[in-house]
Amino acid sequence: MSDQPPASQPLTEAEARLLRQTFDIARRAQTHGNMPFGALLTGPNGDILMEMENGYFPDLDATGHAERLLATEASKRYREPFLAECTLYSSAEPCAMCAGGIYWTGIGRVVYGLSEHALKTLTGDHPDNPTMNLPCRTVFAAGQKEIAVLGPCLEDEASDVHKGAWG
């Protein structure tokens, strides 16, 4: 489905469960009137520290992407040495803005479902999601911090979350 590099290693059962949880968060976001995106952050031992859904409504915050909101909250709660040992799971590949937030926050690893390329194919030129088709790996590679990326993963399941959302 994607022209992104394949996941460098298979997901573990625990990682697949956490990634699927982001799909549930994304569905919940849609029931709240937002776009179907969700993210969660795990600590070094895999425990869930926080989760976030897309937050465009109620404030019409165009920067209210789940990953950016999560990165902002994580930077308020935790210091970078700890965050470098954490993993952000996302229902879709972090966009350039969100990847920048993840980078500046210092989160050390990202696991995502739907690739930005596949998302752009699904959403087309929908005004609510003018996808840039800029891989998060490209954004991270421009920086000085190493951020491990695993994705796209479970991409068919991740794309199912978006059925009917962009019609």
Side-chain angles (χ1 to χ4, degrees):
M1 176 176 242
S2 169
D3 66 357
Q4 294 287 314
S8 57
Q9 59 189 22
L11 285 175
T12 66
E13 235 179 89
E15 289 172 325
R17 187 174 56 254
L18 289 163
L19 187 56
R20 286 184 175 111
Q21 190 166 337
T22 69
F23 305 161
D24 293 337
I25 297 165
R27 288 183 187 95
R28 186 178 69 219
Q30 193 170 20
T31 68
H32 294 146
N34 285 299
M35 280 71 84
F37 298 99
L40 62 82
L41 183 72
T42 62
N45 297 324
D47 50 315
I48 297 172
L49 302 175
M50 66 180 71
E51 63 179 49
M52 200 67 65
E53 60 186 59
N54 182 278
Y56 178 76
F57 290 110
D59 300 324
L60 305 179
D61 180 1
T63 67
H65 297 190
E67 303 91 339
R68 203 277 303 155
L69 293 169
L70 189 142
T72 297
E73 187 60 31
S75 73
K76 293 176 184 178
R77 291 189 195 180
Y78 307 104
R79 299 290 44 100
E80 189 168 338
F82 176 75
L83 288 171
E85 301 297 319
C86 294
T87 300
L88 184 147
Y89 290 84
S90 180
S91 61
E93 182 173 5
C95 71
M97 174 187 68
C98 293
I102 292 163
Y103 174 83
W104 287 110
T105 302
I107 295 168
R109 184 168 180 257
V110 172
V111 177
Y112 68 86
L114 187 64
S115 70
E116 188 81 344
H117 175 78
L119 178 63
K120 186 176 182 186
T121 300
L122 285 172
T123 63
D125 64 354
H126 196 286
D128 290 339
N129 196 51
T131 304
M132 295 175 73
N133 198 18
L134 178 63
C136 68
R137 284 176 175 88
T138 302
V139 176
F140 297 146
Q144 298 178 53
K145 301 175 188 179
E146 185 152 339
I147 299 171
V149 179
L150 182 59
C153 302
L154 308 176
E155 198 166 28
D156 289 337
E157 290 179 49
S159 72
D160 285 345
V161 174
H162 294 269
K163 287 189 176 158
W166 308 103

